C-alpha cells in the first residue's frame, strides 16, 4: 500500500427490500478481524430496521412463493454465478473475518458457491420428493405438496460467516419463503458482500434482507413479530437468549429451528432437514366421479 | 308440501358396554389406583348421568408413567424389531375391529356424538390408523430421513375430547410404529375409550410400559409435557394451550408437534352444484356437533347465489334430528360438556349483539343434558367475533363475496390455517384457489374427509407437524445420529 494511492474503502450497509440503507438509527459498530485490527464500521441495525425488513419480506412473499420452481432455481444459480465473479473479494473477507489461511478461505468460498448450485437444483425437485399422492380408502383423488411456511427470520451462524450463512438462507428461499437474516455479529462483512451479489442476481428485492448489528437487540423483535412465521436459531450462542426467543415465538405459534449446542460442520452434506423445515404439506381432496 | 316424517326410536343397546364404577390409571401394563391427585367423575353429556369415576393423576403418577415408558423404551421396545412392532399394531387394529360396536357405543356415551358417526366414522378410522401405521414400522428407511432413523424415546401425548379414540389413534399408532413408547392423557371429559384402549393393549400382549394411559385435567397434562424425561410432545387442542406448551418446553431437547384450532372457510362459487354444496356445508359444520378443529365454520358464498344457498341450507337443517346419541337416526348429538355449551352460548350471543342475524333449526331440545340447535348466522362481517373465533359448536357464520380474489382474501383473513373447502364445477379454479389458500387441508367439492394415508395438520396458528401419511411419520423420528 505504499504506491501512493489511497485505497477506496467500502461503506458497509444493510440490505432491505433490494436497497442498501444505513440503519435508520444512525448507529454503527466497529468490526475487527480475528487479530482485533479494525476492518470497518458496520451498520448497527435497530428495531425499526428489523420491522422494515419484515415488511419488505412480506411484500416480496406473494410473488416469490408463486414464482415457478424453474424460475427460482435459475435465480439461485444466478446467485452462484455472481459469487463466482467476486470470488477473490469473498476469499479475502472470509480470511480476515474468520482468521483463516487463503487455501481454507478458498475452500469455504467455493463450498458456499457450490451450495447455491446444490439448492438451485432442488427448486423443481423438492416437491417431487417431499410431496405425495395418497391412496385414501374412498373415491377421492388426494395429493400433498410442500408449500413455504412464509416469512422467516434467520440468525446466521456466528462463526461460519459465509458458508454457514448460505447454508441457512438458501433452503429457506428455494422452497419459496422470504427471509430476514441477522448476519454474524462479529463477522458481518462477508454477509454484506453477499448482499451485493444478491442485488445483481435477478433475486427480487425483499426476498433476502440482511441486517447487521447486535443479535440480542434485534432478534427479540423478530421472534415476537406477528408477520414472521418461522425462526432459525442457528447462530444464537447464548442459551438464555434462545429460550427467550423460543418462548416469544410461541406467541404466534412460529416454527422454530432450535439452537445447535455446537455450531455444525457446514461442509457436511446438508440433507433435507432445512428444506423440510421451511415447507409444510398442503393436502387437497377431490371426489372421483363422473 | 308439509310432510313430517316421524321415526320410531331406534336406540343402539348400551348393554354391550360394561362399565365399572371406578377406574385407575394404566401404568406399566397394569391398572392401579393413583398415588396422588384425586378422583373425578365422567358423565354422559346427553343425560348428565355419571358413567364412572376415574383418577386425576397427580405429579407422582405422571412420574411413574414416564418412568415406566422410559424403562419399556430402554429395555424392550428399542430392541424390538420394526417387523415385530408392526405385528403388535396389526393385532391392535384387529382387536379394535372385533370390538368396534362396543367401542362405538362407549364413545357415544362418553362424548355425546351420534352413534351413526362413532360407528361409521370414528371407530373404523381408528382401526384403519393402526392398520396403516403397522405397515410403516419395518419401513422406516423409506420415510425420507435417510437410513435407520431413530425414535425420540418417550412421547408425551395430550388429546382433546372431540374424537377421543380417533385422536388417540392419530397419536399412538405413528409413535409406536416409529419405535417410541407413549404416555397419553385423554381429555378430562372423555377418558373412557382411552382406558378401553389400555385393555386392548393388554389383550394384544403389548409389552408393559410401551403404552401408559393417565387420566386427568389440564394440570395432569401440564405435568406430563413438562416432565424432564419426555423426549417428544404431541398435542391436539386449543391454540392457547398449544402456546403454553411451546413456552413451557422452550430450551429443552423436546421435539414438539401441535394440532390446534381452526376457523375454516367453506367457499361456494356460483357454478357449484348447490344441492351437493349444501350437503357439504352441513357436513362441514354440523358433523360431530361442530366439535371439529377443521370444521367449515365460515361459509363464504358468492353473492349471486347466497339467497338460494341459505334457503336450501335452512330447509336441509330443518330435517336434522337432534337427540339421543345412541339412536341410529340421530344427526346431532349432545354438546360434550357444560363449559363448552356455555362457550357456544356466549359466542352465539355475541353474534346477535354484533348485529348478525341468527337462525336456528326448529328442533326439540331434550330436558336433560347439553344441547345446542344447529345455528346459522347471516349478515356476518369479518370483524364479528363469530367470524374470527373458534366456536367449536354447531354454529355457522355466513359471509358473501363477489370475486374469487375477494373469497381468497376473506378466507385467509384469520390467524388460523387448518382447513378450507371449495365448491365449484371448474377444475382449473379449484387448483388455483387451493394454491392460494393458506390451509393445510383443502377439500374440494367435499368436506371433512379423513384417512390415515392423508397428511393432516395446519399452517400459521393452527399448529405445526402433520398426522397421517409419510409426512406424519416425520414427527416421531429423527435422522440417525441427530
Amino acid at each position: 500500500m505504499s504506491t501512493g494511492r489511497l485505497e477506496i474503502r467500502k461503506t458497509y450497509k444493510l440490505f432491505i427490500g433490494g436497497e442498501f440503507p444505513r440503519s435508520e438509527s444512525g448507529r454503527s459498530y466497529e468490526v475487527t478481524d480475528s487479530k482485533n485490527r479494525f476492518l470497518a464500521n458496520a451498520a448497527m441495525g435497530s428495531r425499526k430496521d428489523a420491522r422494515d425488513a419484515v415488511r419488505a419480506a412480506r411484500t416480496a412473499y406473494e410473488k416469490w412463493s408463486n414464482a415457478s420452481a424453474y424460475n427460482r432455481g435459475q435465480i439461485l444459480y444466478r446467485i452462484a454465478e455472481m459469487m463466482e465473479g467476486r470470488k477473490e473479494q469473498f476469499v479475502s473477507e472470509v480470511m480476515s473475518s474468520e482468521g483463516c489461511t487463503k487455501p481454507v478461505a478458498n475452500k469455504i468460498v467455493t463450498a458456499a458457491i457450490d451450495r447455491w448450485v446444490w439448492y438451485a437444483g432442488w427448486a423443481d425437485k423438492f416437491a417431487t420428493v417431499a410431496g405425495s399422492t395418497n391412496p385414501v380408502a374412498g373415491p377421492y383423488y388426494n395429493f400433498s405438496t410442500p408449500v413455504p411456511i412464509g416469512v422467516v427470520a434467520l440468525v446466521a451462524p456466528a462463526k461460519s460467516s459465509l458458508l454457514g450463512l448460505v447454508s441457512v438462507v438458501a433452503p429457506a428461499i428455494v422452497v419459496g419463503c422470504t427471509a430476514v437474516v441477522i448476519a454474524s455479529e462479529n463477522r458481518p462483512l462477508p454477509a454484506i458482500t453477499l448482499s451485493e451479489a444478491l442485488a445483481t442476481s435477478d433475486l427480487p428485492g425483499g426476498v433476502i434482507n440482511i441486517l447487521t448489528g447486535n443479535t440480542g437487540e434485534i432478534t427479540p423483535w423478530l421472534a415476537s413479530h406477528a408477520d414472521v412465521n418461522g425462526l432459525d436459531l442457528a447462530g444464537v450462542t447464548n442459551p438464555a437468549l434462545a429460550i427467550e426467543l423460543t418462548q416469544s415465538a410461541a406467541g404466534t405459534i412460529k416454527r422454530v429451528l432450535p439452537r445447535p449446542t455446537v455450531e455444525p460442520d457446514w461442509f457436511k452434506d446438508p440433507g433435507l432437514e432445512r428444506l423440510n423445515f421451511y415447507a409444510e404439506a398442503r393436502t387437497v381432496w377431490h371426489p372421483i366421479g363422473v | 308440501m308439509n310432510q313430517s316424517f316421524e321415526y320410531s326410536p331406534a336406540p343402539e343397546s348400551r348393554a354391550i358396554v360394561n362399565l365399572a364404577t371406578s377406574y385407575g390409571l394404566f401404568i406399566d401394563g397394569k391398572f392401579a389406583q393413583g398415588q396422588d391427585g384425586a378422583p373425578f367423575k365422567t358423565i354422559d353429556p346427553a343425560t348428565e348421568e355419571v358413567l364412572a369415576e376415574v383418577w386425576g393423576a397427580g405429579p407422582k403418577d405422571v412420574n411413574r408413567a414416564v418412568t415406566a415408558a422410559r424403562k419399556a423404551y430402554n429395555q424392550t421396545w428399542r430392541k424390538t424389531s420394526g417387523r415385530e412392532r408392526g405385528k403388535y399394531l396389526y393385532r391392535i387394529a384387529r382387536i379394535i375391529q372385533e370390538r368396534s360396536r362396543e367401542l362405538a357405543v362407549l364413545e357415544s356415551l362418553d362424548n355425546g356424538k351420534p352413534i351413526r358417526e362413532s360407528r361409521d366414522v370414528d371407530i373404523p378410522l381408528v382401526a384403519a390408523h393402526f392398520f396403516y401405521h403397522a405397515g410403516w414400522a419395518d419401513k422406516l428407511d423409506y420415510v425420507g430421513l435417510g437410513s435407520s432413523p431413530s425414535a425420540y424415546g418417550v412421547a408425551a401425548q395430550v388429546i382433546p375430547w372431540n374424537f377421543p379414540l380417533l385422536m388417540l389413534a392419530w397419536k399412538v399408532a405413528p409413535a409406536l410404529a416409529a419405535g417410541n413408547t407413549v404416555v397419553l392423557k385423554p381429555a378430562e371429559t372423555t377418558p373412557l375409550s382411552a382406558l378401553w384402549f389400555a385393555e386392548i393393549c393388554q389383550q394384544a400382549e403389548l409389552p408393559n410400559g410401551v403404552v401408559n394411559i393417565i387420566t386427568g385435567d389440564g394440570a395432569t397434562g401440564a405435568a406430563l409435557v413438562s416432565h424432564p424425561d419426555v423426549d417428544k410432545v404431541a398435542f391436539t387442542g386449543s391454540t392457547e394451550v398449544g402456546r403454553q406448551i411451546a413456552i413451557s418446553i422452550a430450551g429443552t431437547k423436546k421435539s414438539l408437534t401441535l394440532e390446534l384450532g381452526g376457523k375454516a372457510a367453506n367457499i361456494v362459487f356460483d357454478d357449484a352444484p348447490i344441492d351437493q354444496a349444501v350437503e357439504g356445508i352441513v357436513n362441514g359444520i354440523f358433523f360431530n356437533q361442530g366439535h371439529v378443529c377443521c370444521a367449515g365454520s365460515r361459509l363464504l358464498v358468492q353473492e349471486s347465489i347466497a339467497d338460494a344457498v341459505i334457503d336450501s341450507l335452512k330447509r336441509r337443517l330443518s330435517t336434522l334430528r337432534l337427540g339421543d346419541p345412541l339412536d341410529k337416526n340421530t344427526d346431532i348429538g349432545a354438546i360434550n360438556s357444560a363449559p363448552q355449551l356455555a362457550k357456544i352460548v356466549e359466542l352465539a350471543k355475541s353474534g346477535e349483539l354484533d348485529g348478525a342475524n341468527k337462525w336456528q333449526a326448529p328442533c326439540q331440545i331434550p330436558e336433560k343434558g347439553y344441547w345446542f340447535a344447529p345455528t346459522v348466522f347471516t349478515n356476518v362481517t369479518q370483524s364479528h367475533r363469530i367470524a374470527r373465533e373458534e366456536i367449536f359448536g354447531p354454529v355457522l357464520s355466513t359471509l358473501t363475496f363477489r370475486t374469487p380474489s375477494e373469497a381468497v382474501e376473506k378466507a385467509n383473513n384469520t390467524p388460523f390455517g387448518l382447513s378450507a373447502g371449495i365448491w365449484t364445477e371448474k377444475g382449473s379454479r379449484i387448483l388455483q384457489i387451493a394454491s392460494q389458500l393458506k390451509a393445510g387441508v383443502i377439500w374440494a367439492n367435499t368436506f371433512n374427509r379423513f384417512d390415515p394415508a392423508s397428511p393432516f395438520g395446519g399452517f400459521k396458528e393452527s399448529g405445526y407437524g402433520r398426522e397421517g401419511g409419510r409426512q406424519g411419520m416425520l414427527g416421531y423420528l429423527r435422522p440417525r445420529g441427530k
Side-chain angles (χ1 to χ4, degrees):
Chain A
M1 297 295 156
S2 58
T3 53
R5 182 179 180 273
L6 194 62
E7 182 192 12
I8 306 297
R9 282 185 182 165
K10 181 159 82 184
T11 309
Y12 288 90
K13 298 197 282 188
L14 307 174
F15 184 52
I16 299 175
E19 295 179 348
F20 293 93
R22 291 191 172 82
S23 170
E24 61 79 36
S25 67
R27 300 174 306 170
S28 64
Y29 70 109
E30 194 177 302
V31 178
T32 58
D33 69 7
S34 57
K35 298 203 171 71
N36 228 13
R37 288 175 302 216
F38 174 80
L39 283 177
N41 289 310
M44 180 91 148
S46 66
R47 167 191 172 184
K48 173 80 163 58
D49 294 322
R51 295 168 73 116
D52 289 347
V54 172
R55 188 178 303 126
R58 178 55 68 189
T59 306
Y61 179 73
E62 228 29 69
K63 204 172 155 202
W64 181 247
S65 59
N66 286 310
S68 72
Y70 180 41
N71 183 230
R72 282 203 300 266
Q74 289 188 82
I75 289 174
L76 262 76
Y77 185 76
R78 177 83 176 152
I79 296 172
E81 289 179 353
M82 292 300 104
M83 279 186 74
E84 189 83 29
R86 290 168 171 260
K87 205 172 138 195
E88 289 313 312
Q89 191 187 348
F90 280 113
V91 168
S92 118
E93 272 179 355
V94 166
M95 274 171 72
S96 52
S97 291
E98 302 189 12
C100 59
T101 62
K102 191 162 185 184
V104 170
N106 203 51
K107 201 176 146 219
I108 289 171
V109 173
T110 50
I113 296 171
D114 291 354
R115 186 127 305 159
W116 281 114
V117 175
W118 191 74
Y119 275 117
W122 270 119
D124 49 10
K125 291 155 202 79
F126 183 59
T128 311
V129 171
S132 52
T133 53
N134 309 307
V136 296
Y140 297 94
Y141 182 59
N142 177 302
F143 63 98
S144 300
T145 35
V147 298
I149 62 176
V151 171
V152 297
L154 306 95
V155 185
K159 290 184 187 153
S160 183
S161 59
L162 183 66
L163 178 58
L165 167 67
V166 171
S167 301
V168 298
V169 76
I173 68 160
V174 74
V175 300
C177 291
T178 56
V180 176
V181 183
I182 314 294
S184 166
E185 183 172 335
N186 296 322
R187 302 172 174 182
L189 301 193
I192 302 163
T193 301
L194 175 66
S195 66
E196 293 159 13
L198 298 176
T200 51
S201 68
D202 304 335
L203 186 75
V207 173
I208 297 178
N209 305 275
I210 298 181
L211 303 173
T212 53
N214 183 313
T215 305
E217 180 195 336
I218 305 172
T219 47
W221 300 113
L222 295 169
S224 65
H225 199 299
D227 218 10
V228 172
N229 304 100
L231 197 59
D232 181 352
L233 303 181
V236 176
T237 49
N238 173 357
L241 176 64
I243 293 174
E244 183 200 324
L245 296 175
T246 308
Q247 292 186 331
S248 175
T252 51
I253 317 287
K254 287 181 182 61
R255 289 88 179 112
V256 180
L257 257 181
R259 179 187 83 91
T261 39
V262 188
E263 188 170 319
D265 173 6
W266 298 105
F267 282 105
K268 272 195 180 164
D269 173 7
L272 296 183
E273 185 191 356
R274 282 191 152 74
L275 291 171
N276 283 330
F277 173 77
Y278 286 115
E280 45 199 354
R282 175 197 281 130
T283 299
V284 178
W285 294 66
H286 195 277
I288 295 171
V290 286
Chain B
M1 190 177 78
N2 188 9
Q3 267 183 320
S4 87
F5 290 96
E6 287 299 329
Y7 281 71
S8 301
E12 177 73 55
S13 166
R14 60 173 286 181
I16 192 170
V17 174
N18 194 6
L19 283 161
T21 50
S22 78
Y23 291 91
L25 307 170
F26 182 69
I27 296 174
D28 205 15
K30 292 168 276 294
F31 283 99
Q33 184 85 3
Q35 288 181 355
D36 56 353
F40 64 98
K41 292 177 171 57
T42 184
I43 62 161
D44 175 350
T47 60
E48 300 177 53
E49 168 201 344
V50 173
L51 293 170
E53 195 172 82
V54 295
W55 193 263
K60 273 190 198 163
D61 296 322
V62 170
N63 186 48
R64 279 195 303 134
V66 174
T67 306
R70 170 64 59 195
K71 193 180 94 193
Y73 178 71
N74 286 336
Q75 297 183 359
T76 319
W77 205 235
R78 191 159 67 170
K79 298 172 188 161
T80 306
S81 69
R83 182 181 301 175
E84 297 305 305
R85 287 201 311 273
K87 280 152 74 175
Y88 283 112
L89 293 178
Y90 282 122
R91 270 194 188 181
I92 289 171
R94 284 302 196 215
I95 297 173
I96 287 163
Q97 289 174 329
E98 285 157 13
R99 298 179 65 175
S100 60
R101 184 158 163 229
E102 174 193 357
L103 290 166
V105 173
L106 176 71
E107 200 76 318
S108 282
L109 279 175
D110 205 14
N111 171 278
K113 66 173 66 202
I115 186 75
R116 190 167 55 83
E117 291 177 10
S118 52
R119 181 195 63 201
D120 297 347
V121 181
D122 291 54
I123 307 304
L125 275 173
V126 171
H129 266 270
F130 279 97
F131 201 89
Y132 173 85
H133 286 95
W136 269 122
D138 57 359
K139 299 167 192 68
L140 301 183
D141 285 359
Y142 303 95
V143 300
L145 294 172
S147 68
S148 308
S150 336
Y152 281 101
V154 175
Q157 307 182 314
V158 178
I159 58 170
W161 45 261
N162 56 344
F163 296 91
L165 197 58
L166 183 55
M167 292 298 104
L168 176 148
W170 283 26
K171 294 276 179 288
V172 172
L176 297 190
N180 302 276
T181 57
V182 162
V183 180
L184 177 129
K185 188 197 86 69
E188 185 183 359
T189 59
T190 54
L192 294 180
S193 54
L195 294 168
W196 251 248
F197 177 77
E199 193 191 293
I200 289 169
C201 291
Q202 288 180 324
Q203 289 186 337
E205 294 172 334
L206 189 72
N208 291 345
V210 171
V211 167
N212 304 274
I213 306 284
I214 53 171
T215 45
D217 60 8
T220 307
L224 174 58
V225 300
S226 58
H227 192 287
D229 207 21
V230 161
D231 303 299
K232 158 81 196 178
V233 175
F235 171 75
T236 296
S238 72
T239 294
E240 190 41 48
V241 175
R243 194 173 280 141
Q244 287 164 18
I245 291 173
I247 289 171
S248 76
I249 68 168
T252 68
K253 292 245 172 245
K254 293 171 193 173
S255 164
L256 176 65
T257 43
L258 297 172
E259 205 269 87
L260 309 174
K263 191 73 193 176
N266 202 356
I267 307 171
V268 183
F269 287 96
D270 59 6
D271 66 340
I274 294 208
D275 289 346
Q276 285 172 45
V278 165
E279 284 306 306
I281 295 163
V282 171
N283 177 43
I285 182 64
F286 301 111
F287 172 60
N288 202 33
Q289 295 74 247
H291 299 332
V292 187
C293 48
C294 53
S297 55
R298 281 185 301 152
L299 173 63
L300 291 179
V301 57
Q302 198 151 14
E303 206 174 80
S304 52
I305 54 159
D307 290 343
V309 169
I310 302 293
D311 287 350
S312 180
L313 179 64
K314 287 177 179 172
R315 208 161 44 236
R316 178 69 183 86
L317 291 178
S318 303
T319 68
L320 293 182
R321 287 156 203 281
L322 176 147
D324 181 6
L326 288 185
D327 192 308
K328 292 164 195 160
N329 293 321
T330 293
D331 299 302
I332 306 283
I335 300 300
N336 179 252
S337 67
Q340 186 58 30
L341 178 60
K343 187 186 157 200
I344 296 167
V345 168
E346 195 273 324
L347 271 162
K349 180 138 281 173
S350 86
E352 290 180 274
L353 293 174
D354 282 342
N357 300 333
K358 179 174 142 186
W359 178 90
Q360 282 192 308
C363 52
Q364 199 132 32
I365 302 289
E367 277 174 23
K368 280 201 151 179
Y370 314 124
W371 309 91
F372 199 84
T375 301
V376 177
F377 278 100
T378 49
N379 200 25
V380 178
T381 73
Q382 295 188 81
S383 61
H384 291 171
R385 283 180 65 203
I386 54 169
R388 291 186 287 117
E389 296 177 29
E390 186 176 39
I391 300 173
F392 225 65
V395 180
L396 179 67
S397 302
T398 308
L399 298 92
T400 59
F401 66 91
R402 289 183 179 171
T403 62
S405 61
E406 186 189 352
V408 168
E409 197 179 312
K410 283 184 169 168
N412 287 337
N413 184 17
T414 165
F416 296 115
L418 188 51
S419 65
I422 305 169
W423 297 84
T424 173
E425 286 285 47
K426 202 172 168 190
S428 59
R429 178 183 279 161
I430 289 171
L431 295 174
Q432 165 84 351
I433 302 291
S435 74
Q436 293 173 341
L437 291 175
K438 293 181 168 60
V441 183
I442 291 169
W443 288 289
N445 293 327
T446 184
F447 210 95
N448 270 346
R449 302 287 157 198
F450 307 96
D451 194 279
S454 176
F456 183 94
F459 294 172
K460 301 197 289 182
E461 295 189 24
S462 289
Y464 38 77
R466 292 292 177 268
E467 295 183 295
R470 181 191 66 80
Q471 293 85 339
M473 290 301 293
L474 301 178
Y476 288 96
L477 289 164
R478 53 188 156 188
R480 183 174 53 179
K482 282 263 178 172

